[in-house]
Amino acid sequence: MLNAQWKIVSTSEVPQEFVAGVQDITGKDSKYCAQLLWQRGIQDLEELPGFLNPDLYQPASSSAFGLEMDWATSRLGQARDRTEKVTIWGDFDADGITSTSVLWDGLGQFFTQYLQLDYYIPNRLTESHGLNNPGIARLAEAGTKLIVTCDTGSTNLEEIKYAQELGIDIIVTDHHSLPESRPEVTAIINPRYLETSHPLYHLSGVAVAYKLVEALYETLPDVPQQPLENLLDLVAIGLIADLVELKGDCRYLAQVGIKQLQKQVNPATMTRPGVAKLLDLCRRNGDRPTDISFGLGPRINAVSRIHGNASFCVELLTSRDAQRCSQLAEEAELANTRRKSLQKDTIKQVKKKLQQLDLSTTSVIVLEDPQWQGGVLGLAAGQIAQEYGRPTVLLSSSGEDNSGEVIARGSARSVNGIDLYQLVKSQSDLLHRFGGHPFAAGLSLPLANLNLFQEGINQQLRQQASISEMIPQVNADLVVTVADLGQDLFDELRKLEPYGMGNPIPKLLIKNCWFKNVWNKNIKDTRGQQVQYIRTTFNIWDDSTNKGFPGLWWGHYKDEIPPTGKCEAIAELDFNTYQKDYEIRLIAVRLMSESSFLTTAINHKYLVIDRRSTPQNLDNLEIPVDQTRILEQCPANWGDIHREYRQAVNRDRSLVLAYTTDESIDTIAIWQQLIGIAKYLSRTQKQVSKLQIQKKLNLSDRTFNLGLQALKHSGFKYKIIDDLYQFSFQESNISLALQSYINYFLLAIKEEKFLQQYFYKVPLLTIKQQLLNVDF
């Protein structure tokens, strides 16, 4: 993650009575559980049993939607009595597909499928989200009298009016943002009309669809032949795959849905052969939320991302024909492998464009390319937003509207709590259409409006937040050691599942670690063909145990893991159902400073000592203990030390802090000079000695070697002939790990500049030898 800021979530002390209360409820030592719950504001011990155990939770009734639900069930009952044709209008993502499937199975208990009940899924690549007039016209010609939307429709005011003109009534079930006034529909069931504190407020599209079926079951209880709970596995898939907070009824439905999902891996209880085959292909058991978020969800989503038309996914999830479902599941699997490769290529192209963008003046990243495939733009936008700490809009202008005007279509993703829907809405006069929620949005606009949109949306966000605040951030929830990793910690953390928005998967910070057996390879599809999507495997070690722990890093190369030196890593703990073993999924890694420092105040002056010194060495210096402070990271400037000592200075004004506010040492210029030298030598094929480069740039042996590593990852090769360096350059050799190695080099330069600036009277080497008695 580019220049990411690492942050440990508040480590304020958890009250012992709360820890004891959690342990009483769980029946086991649950210190990590208690810490996570407290950090996340889940602090009511009376409500905690219902949070952890769905059997102890009281779900809200479908009647909470009031008259809208009454109007919806009444109109459906009327359509059943009149044998009118009803069409489900769904959406092509996982939430939309499962919503359609819930209504197909649920309403299918009241209407004859294919004769009186049908469904329509828009094509992701040609139609985009929501209702559209051409599709409505086709349904009118086919005799549809009632459309029931799911996961869409709230803001399609013009399309709703058009449907009414064709004699079609509409019931909207949706969870996206609402228009300013209620649309003229038969009924609209959208939890955003409820109070934000209501347990149904965060329902996703599939959960809203389920509530409609639940209400119909209660209205006509003698009609259904299948139990309502048979739909819960589909509800769990859609809920967890979508961007909604898993709290209140959302969490409850996900919990009971996962229990239903587990039945699909047992032939005796299996009712959905398509789901069972998908679980088999992704090597999952269906007993964990990650089986959905990393298994089922991506495969369902991949179909529309690659093919556009995802209609067969409803058949995949609802058909009882095992042979047909197996065939469809294989198609979904292949689509997912192709999606991974396409996503990787798109992100690479996006980053290349970002090199031409001045991020210091950019609040919202807006990029367009006619060659990008719209199906993966949402995924790419999400990854770029996380890496660069800015809301991201990615567009493809490969289509035209009916008037021949070029239209750019794409997706947007948010970061750092910025309300993306309101941000995009502020530019609605420039858009063709848009929809979404605070975290994600889809939009289209005339290509001619792109520059105005880019300027307008950046200006809008600048009024809300400073660009300097938009720093990518990686949060860690718990600090653990390698010895902590394994079954006990996994079982404890699992008590808080299902994880999702508002209750994310715990991020574990592992300090002073290193890596062995690092290797990467491309994954293969079900036909054995390699896919251009990388996976790196490794073992992580630290001093807490004499045994390494396995892990993997999706989408990253082995060169991105520091080959030597101690590191800090942030990871998630998981269980590999295929290999039957526990492992970590690496999120981020960085090299720790090669040495920590001990800073002391003596006679109003500061002394910096390498912490590798022994206690005897320090005792000989006769340093007052109350004037000693250990810094865990090497300071790059006096400002770092000032922050550590601010409280001490406030207590004792006799401690005069001698530091400079001039921290403008241009380390980047040194890197630029090094690159310039390498380019010159590559172009002229001249040779130069190591000492010449060191004197030119004032580099030590350590920083010289780190500079060579950074040059290597920049595409340069070198060979040494008679102690002289000769460089060559090849663009294809540029490594994805380049930024990390540049950062290592710059950090080392800062450290040495710091020491040289404030201890120039005595050579740096002499200081270390005299104070530490270390043989350098």
Side-chain angles (χ1 to χ4, degrees):
M1 195 170 286
L2 186 66
N3 297 322
Q5 189 178 58
W6 287 31
K7 179 181 178 183
I8 300 178
V9 177
S10 173
T11 55
S12 58
E13 187 173 350
V14 183
Q16 282 304 310
E17 57 268 24
F18 183 78
V19 176
V22 173
Q23 291 178 355
D24 288 343
I25 294 169
T26 61
K28 293 183 178 180
D29 181 14
S30 302
K31 65 174 183 178
Y32 288 123
C33 264
Q35 183 177 337
L36 285 169
L37 288 165
W38 189 261
Q39 287 174 182
R40 295 175 180 185
I42 306 167
Q43 302 173 356
D44 190 331
L45 289 173
E46 293 184 3
E47 294 182 2
L48 189 57
F51 180 86
L52 299 175
N53 184 353
D55 294 335
L56 302 177
Y57 180 84
Q58 181 59 50
S61 169
S62 58
S63 63
F65 290 101
L67 289 175
E68 298 287 356
M69 186 64 80
D70 294 340
W71 293 333
T73 55
S74 175
R75 181 64 183 90
L76 284 167
Q78 186 182 71
R80 183 173 187 272
D81 294 339
R82 295 176 178 176
T83 63
E84 291 177 325
K85 186 170 184 179
V86 178
T87 299
I88 304 162
W89 188 295
D91 198 22
F92 42 71
D93 64 9
D95 191 26
I97 291 294
T98 51
S99 300
T100 308
S101 300
V102 162
L103 291 180
W104 180 246
D105 270 2
L107 297 184
Q109 296 295 305
F110 304 89
F111 301 89
T112 305
Q113 292 176 337
Y114 297 112
L115 292 176
Q116 203 180 351
L117 184 67
D118 209 343
Y119 60 84
Y120 183 91
I121 307 290
N123 187 301
R124 181 192 283 264
L125 303 181
T126 60
E127 295 178 87
S128 191
H129 295 274
L131 297 164
N132 63 73
N133 289 350
I136 292 171
R138 287 194 293 272
L139 296 185
E141 291 176 3
T144 294
K145 294 299 181 183
L146 174 63
I147 291 176
V148 181
T149 77
C150 51
D151 195 34
T152 193
S154 292
T155 58
N156 293 136
L157 305 183
E158 293 183 5
E159 291 80 6
I160 289 169
K161 182 178 179 181
Y162 178 70
Q164 291 173 338
E165 293 172 355
L166 298 181
I168 299 177
D169 291 337
I170 292 183
I171 296 172
V172 171
T173 73
D174 194 10
H175 72 118
H176 294 97
S177 298
L178 297 167
E180 293 181 0
S181 59
R182 182 188 182 279
E184 296 296 324
V185 293
T186 300
I188 176 169
I189 304 167
N190 189 322
R192 292 196 174 262
Y193 282 116
L194 303 172
E195 295 293 328
T196 56
S197 60
H198 197 285
L200 297 177
Y201 181 79
H202 293 285
L203 294 185
S204 73
V206 67
V208 178
Y210 174 80
K211 283 296 182 181
L212 174 61
V213 175
E214 179 183 87
L216 202 56
Y217 265 63
E218 294 170 353
T219 303
L220 301 170
D222 298 329
V223 177
Q225 300 299 305
Q226 294 293 327
L228 181 64
E229 55 265 26
N230 281 7
L231 301 175
L232 288 171
D233 50 356
L234 298 176
V235 176
I237 295 171
L239 268 171
I240 293 172
D242 205 44
L243 294 172
V244 295
E245 287 196 48
L246 293 182
K247 61 192 300 186
D249 275 49
C250 281
R251 179 177 174 84
Y252 165 77
L253 289 171
Q255 288 171 312
V256 294
I258 288 172
K259 288 184 177 181
Q260 183 70 19
L261 183 62
Q262 288 178 252
K263 297 179 180 179
Q264 304 309 324
V265 297
N266 184 344
T269 57
M270 185 263 292
T271 57
R272 300 188 187 279
V275 173
K277 182 62 177 178
L278 283 177
L279 286 169
D280 178 60
L281 288 170
C282 62
R283 299 169 177 173
R284 302 277 179 168
N285 294 329
D287 61 339
R288 301 196 56 220
T290 49
D291 294 353
I292 296 169
S293 54
F294 295 109
L296 299 179
R299 284 158 176 78
I300 295 170
N301 278 321
V303 174
S304 63
R305 297 186 192 281
I306 298 301
H307 301 299
N309 188 347
S311 295
F312 80 70
C313 286
V314 178
E315 183 181 1
L316 170 64
L317 298 182
T318 60
S319 172
R320 274 37 175 186
D321 184 337
Q323 185 174 355
R324 172 64 173 161
C325 286
S326 179
Q327 176 190 350
L328 296 177
E330 293 282 359
E331 286 295 321
E333 180 71 14
L334 286 172
N336 191 49
T337 54
R338 286 198 281 273
R339 183 272 305 171
K340 291 178 180 179
S341 180
L342 186 60
Q343 179 182 345
K344 177 189 171 185
D345 290 342
T346 302
I347 289 173
K348 184 177 180 180
Q349 294 168 28
V350 170
K351 289 185 176 181
K352 192 171 183 180
K353 284 180 177 287
L354 282 171
Q355 294 175 1
Q356 313 300 320
L357 200 64
D358 184 0
L359 290 177
S360 66
T361 60
T362 301
S363 297
V364 182
I365 294 172
V366 181
L367 296 172
E368 179 275 333
D369 194 303
Q371 302 301 317
W372 289 340
Q373 184 165 329
V376 297
L377 291 184
L379 296 172
Q383 185 169 332
I384 294 298
Q386 290 296 325
E387 287 191 26
Y388 290 82
R390 291 160 172 79
T392 299
V393 183
L394 299 182
L395 302 160
S396 176
S397 57
S398 56
E400 299 179 352
D401 63 8
N402 294 332
S403 65
E405 186 173 28
V406 178
I407 300 295
R409 296 181 174 87
S411 296
R413 294 294 183 268
S414 187
V415 72
N416 296 337
I418 296 169
D419 190 329
L420 184 64
Y421 180 82
Q422 293 300 325
L423 198 60
V424 174
K425 185 181 178 182
S426 70
Q427 309 302 310
S428 59
D429 58 320
L430 299 173
L431 303 179
H432 179 254
R433 60 190 301 169
F434 76 99
H437 46 70
F439 312 105
L443 69 157
S444 62
L445 73 161
L447 184 60
N449 291 350
L450 181 59
N451 288 339
L452 289 174
F453 173 78
Q454 185 176 25
E455 293 173 6
I457 199 169
N458 269 275
Q459 184 177 4
Q460 181 69 23
L461 185 54
R462 274 195 291 269
Q463 295 173 3
Q464 304 174 26
S466 167
I467 292 176
S468 62
E469 299 172 1
M470 296 181 183
I471 301 173
Q473 188 166 293
V474 184
N475 291 330
D477 300 286
L478 303 170
V479 179
V480 300
T481 65
V482 173
D484 292 326
L485 304 175
Q487 183 176 355
D488 289 345
L489 180 58
F490 177 84
D491 288 343
E492 181 178 347
L493 297 181
R494 192 173 179 180
K495 294 186 180 80
L496 271 61
E497 290 185 349
Y499 291 112
M501 292 194 63
N503 182 38
I505 299 174
K507 303 291 189 297
L508 311 177
L509 174 61
I510 307 166
K511 296 183 175 182
N512 295 302
C513 61
W514 62 93
F515 297 84
K516 293 183 180 181
N517 304 324
V518 182
W519 190 249
N520 61 246
K521 61 181 179 180
N522 287 326
I523 64 173
K524 294 182 179 181
D525 63 23
T526 54
R527 298 172 182 170
Q529 298 177 338
Q530 281 199 343
V531 179
Q532 291 302 310
Y533 191 81
I534 208 71
R535 179 185 67 177
T536 292
T537 58
F538 55 81
N539 284 330
I540 188 171
W541 295 71
D542 70 4
D543 291 325
S544 67
T545 178
N546 58 3
K547 183 179 179 182
F549 193 83
L552 57 86
W553 200 8
W554 285 103
H556 292 267
Y557 288 87
K558 64 179 182 180
D559 289 345
E560 297 178 68
I561 293 180
T564 59
K566 290 194 174 182
C567 303
E568 290 179 314
I570 295 179
E572 298 171 356
L573 183 60
D574 197 13
F575 180 75
N576 189 317
T577 55
Y578 178 69
Q579 297 181 348
K580 307 297 183 185
D581 199 6
Y582 299 93
E583 64 185 12
I584 60 168
R585 289 197 305 272
L586 191 61
I587 304 299
V589 62
R590 67 182 182 185
L591 195 65
M592 297 185 70
S593 173
E594 292 196 2
S595 61
S596 299
F597 285 79
L598 177 73
T599 306
T600 63
I602 304 178
N603 298 326
H604 312 299
K605 295 181 181 179
Y606 278 86
L607 191 61
V608 177
I609 304 174
D610 194 306
R611 194 184 174 194
R612 289 171 294 187
S613 54
T614 63
Q616 289 81 1
N617 297 134
L618 298 180
D619 291 340
N620 293 336
L621 294 173
E622 299 182 354
I623 300 171
V625 175
D626 61 349
Q627 293 181 329
T628 302
R629 174 77 175 185
I630 294 178
L631 303 184
E632 296 299 330
Q633 298 285 344
C634 172
N637 51 64
W638 278 109
D640 292 346
I641 297 176
H642 177 231
R643 284 186 289 273
E644 293 288 338
Y645 267 88
R646 188 171 293 151
Q647 291 183 346
V649 171
N650 288 337
R651 287 195 305 267
D652 186 353
R653 303 308 297 180
S654 66
L655 289 177
V656 179
L657 194 62
Y659 73 100
T660 176
T661 58
D662 182 9
E663 301 172 3
S664 59
I665 301 170
D666 193 358
T667 56
I668 296 177
I670 296 177
W671 166 245
Q672 291 171 339
Q673 290 180 60
L674 182 60
I675 279 281
I677 291 171
K679 286 181 177 179
Y680 171 77
L681 296 175
S682 174
R683 186 174 66 252
T684 62
Q685 284 300 289
K686 291 185 177 181
Q687 298 175 351
V688 67
S689 71
K690 172 182 175 180
L691 187 59
Q692 284 177 293
I693 297 177
Q694 286 182 294
K695 284 187 174 180
K696 176 72 175 177
L697 302 180
N698 193 23
L699 300 179
S700 68
D701 287 345
R702 172 175 170 248
T703 49
F704 176 81
N705 290 329
L706 287 172
L708 286 182
Q709 287 294 315
L711 287 175
K712 176 183 175 183
H713 288 272
S714 300
F716 289 94
K717 289 185 176 181
Y718 67 87
K719 54 184 177 181
I720 305 174
I721 304 172
D722 295 331
D723 294 329
L724 296 177
Y725 285 76
Q726 187 175 40
F727 290 85
S728 61
F729 175 75
Q730 189 172 346
E731 187 174 357
S732 60
N733 291 334
I734 297 176
S735 165
L736 292 176
L738 171 60
Q739 187 63 50
S740 296
Y741 282 86
I742 293 175
N743 288 342
Y744 303 153
F745 175 67
L746 296 181
L747 176 61
I749 291 290
K750 284 183 179 181
E751 293 176 7
E752 290 189 357
K753 284 286 185 182
F754 170 75
L755 292 174
Q756 290 168 7
Q757 184 174 4
Y758 293 102
F759 302 98
Y760 61 87
K761 292 182 179 179
V762 184
L764 180 61
L765 193 61
T766 305
I767 291 176
K768 289 184 176 179
Q769 288 174 330
Q770 290 180 351
L771 293 181
L772 305 180
N773 195 25
V774 175
D775 182 10
F776 285 87

mmCIF file of all heavy atoms in Angstrom, residues 11 156 231 237 308 353 450 550 651 678 684 728 757 769:
data_model
loop_
_atom_site.group_PDB
_atom_site.id
_atom_site.type_symbol
_atom_site.label_atom_id
_atom_site.label_comp_id
_atom_site.label_asym_id
_atom_site.label_seq_id
_atom_site.Cartn_x
_atom_site.Cartn_y
_atom_site.Cartn_z
ATOM 1 N N THR A 11 -5.803 0.898 21.991
ATOM 2 C CA THR A 11 -5.452 -0.172 22.921
ATOM 3 C C THR A 11 -5.795 0.202 24.363
ATOM 4 O O THR A 11 -5.138 -0.208 25.303
ATOM 5 C CB THR A 11 -3.950 -0.491 22.822
ATOM 6 O OG1 THR A 11 -3.206 0.720 23.031
ATOM 7 C CG2 THR A 11 -3.596 -1.070 21.467
ATOM 8 N N ASN A 156 -35.017 5.099 -10.062
ATOM 9 C CA ASN A 156 -35.344 5.036 -11.496
ATOM 10 C C ASN A 156 -36.702 5.675 -11.781
ATOM 11 O O ASN A 156 -37.641 5.024 -12.250
ATOM 12 C CB ASN A 156 -35.337 3.578 -11.976
ATOM 13 C CG ASN A 156 -33.953 2.953 -11.947
ATOM 14 O OD1 ASN A 156 -33.780 1.825 -11.516
ATOM 15 N ND2 ASN A 156 -32.958 3.684 -12.434
ATOM 16 N N LEU A 231 -34.507 -20.594 2.209
ATOM 17 C CA LEU A 231 -33.965 -19.466 1.457
ATOM 18 C C LEU A 231 -32.779 -18.812 2.161
ATOM 19 O O LEU A 231 -32.096 -17.968 1.570
ATOM 20 C CB LEU A 231 -35.052 -18.400 1.246
ATOM 21 C CG LEU A 231 -36.322 -18.834 0.504
ATOM 22 C CD1 LEU A 231 -37.338 -17.706 0.495
ATOM 23 C CD2 LEU A 231 -35.981 -19.263 -0.922
ATOM 24 N N ILE A 237 -25.377 -15.569 1.477
ATOM 25 C CA ILE A 237 -24.429 -15.320 0.380
ATOM 26 C C ILE A 237 -24.500 -13.861 -0.060
ATOM 27 O O ILE A 237 -23.475 -13.181 -0.197
ATOM 28 C CB ILE A 237 -24.718 -16.259 -0.807
ATOM 29 C CG1 ILE A 237 -24.455 -17.713 -0.416
ATOM 30 C CG2 ILE A 237 -23.857 -15.877 -2.018
ATOM 31 C CD1 ILE A 237 -24.920 -18.724 -1.455
ATOM 32 N N GLY A 308 -21.031 -10.400 -19.103
ATOM 33 C CA GLY A 308 -22.094 -9.407 -19.174
ATOM 34 C C GLY A 308 -23.419 -9.968 -18.714
ATOM 35 O O GLY A 308 -24.041 -9.473 -17.792
ATOM 36 N N LYS A 353 -1.237 5.075 -15.528
ATOM 37 C CA LYS A 353 -1.853 6.387 -15.720
ATOM 38 C C LYS A 353 -1.642 7.283 -14.501
ATOM 39 O O LYS A 353 -1.478 8.504 -14.617
ATOM 40 C CB LYS A 353 -3.354 6.225 -15.985
ATOM 41 C CG LYS A 353 -3.708 5.753 -17.394
ATOM 42 C CD LYS A 353 -5.211 5.634 -17.553
ATOM 43 C CE LYS A 353 -5.604 5.228 -18.964
ATOM 44 N NZ LYS A 353 -5.434 6.327 -19.930
ATOM 45 N N LEU A 450 -16.497 14.634 -19.078
ATOM 46 C CA LEU A 450 -15.557 14.006 -18.150
ATOM 47 C C LEU A 450 -14.677 15.025 -17.432
ATOM 48 O O LEU A 450 -14.500 14.954 -16.213
ATOM 49 C CB LEU A 450 -14.688 12.983 -18.893
ATOM 50 C CG LEU A 450 -13.674 12.223 -18.025
ATOM 51 C CD1 LEU A 450 -14.385 11.465 -16.915
ATOM 52 C CD2 LEU A 450 -12.851 11.274 -18.875
ATOM 53 N N PRO A 550 2.757 -20.974 8.293
ATOM 54 C CA PRO A 550 2.516 -20.773 6.861
ATOM 55 C C PRO A 550 1.605 -19.585 6.570
ATOM 56 O O PRO A 550 0.769 -19.206 7.397
ATOM 57 C CB PRO A 550 1.851 -22.089 6.433
ATOM 58 C CG PRO A 550 1.192 -22.603 7.677
ATOM 59 C CD PRO A 550 2.092 -22.186 8.804
ATOM 60 N N ARG A 651 7.051 18.641 32.154
ATOM 61 C CA ARG A 651 7.224 18.382 33.578
ATOM 62 C C ARG A 651 8.454 19.107 34.126
ATOM 63 O O ARG A 651 8.472 19.570 35.244
ATOM 64 C CB ARG A 651 7.372 16.875 33.832
ATOM 65 C CG ARG A 651 6.076 16.088 33.666
ATOM 66 C CD ARG A 651 6.226 14.704 34.275
ATOM 67 N NE ARG A 651 7.375 13.996 33.727
ATOM 68 C CZ ARG A 651 7.303 13.177 32.677
ATOM 69 N NH1 ARG A 651 6.141 12.998 32.065
ATOM 70 N NH2 ARG A 651 8.381 12.563 32.249
ATOM 71 N N ALA A 678 22.805 6.120 -13.049
ATOM 72 C CA ALA A 678 22.594 4.805 -13.662
ATOM 73 C C ALA A 678 22.154 4.931 -15.121
ATOM 74 O O ALA A 678 22.597 4.169 -15.987
ATOM 75 C CB ALA A 678 21.563 4.020 -12.853
ATOM 76 N N THR A 684 25.858 5.359 -21.936
ATOM 77 C CA THR A 684 27.218 5.525 -22.467
ATOM 78 C C THR A 684 28.066 4.261 -22.329
ATOM 79 O O THR A 684 29.134 4.173 -22.934
ATOM 80 C CB THR A 684 27.924 6.667 -21.729
ATOM 81 O OG1 THR A 684 28.045 6.335 -20.328
ATOM 82 C CG2 THR A 684 27.136 7.964 -21.881
ATOM 83 N N SER A 728 23.118 -1.551 -17.205
ATOM 84 C CA SER A 728 22.246 -1.654 -18.383
ATOM 85 C C SER A 728 20.804 -1.553 -17.899
ATOM 86 O O SER A 728 20.516 -1.809 -16.729
ATOM 87 C CB SER A 728 22.475 -2.968 -19.125
ATOM 88 O OG SER A 728 22.172 -4.081 -18.288
ATOM 89 N N GLN A 757 24.176 15.174 10.497
ATOM 90 C CA GLN A 757 23.866 16.588 10.702
ATOM 91 C C GLN A 757 24.149 17.029 12.141
ATOM 92 O O GLN A 757 24.614 18.129 12.392
ATOM 93 C CB GLN A 757 22.412 16.869 10.340
ATOM 94 C CG GLN A 757 22.049 18.341 10.451
ATOM 95 C CD GLN A 757 20.639 18.612 9.945
ATOM 96 O OE1 GLN A 757 19.919 17.691 9.588
ATOM 97 N NE2 GLN A 757 20.262 19.875 9.928
ATOM 98 N N GLN A 769 31.837 3.313 17.622
ATOM 99 C CA GLN A 769 32.876 2.470 18.207
ATOM 100 C C GLN A 769 33.158 2.865 19.650
ATOM 101 O O GLN A 769 33.316 2.015 20.527
ATOM 102 C CB GLN A 769 34.149 2.574 17.366
ATOM 103 C CG GLN A 769 34.024 1.869 16.019
ATOM 104 C CD GLN A 769 35.227 2.105 15.131
ATOM 105 O OE1 GLN A 769 35.866 3.142 15.227
ATOM 106 N NE2 GLN A 769 35.537 1.141 14.284
#
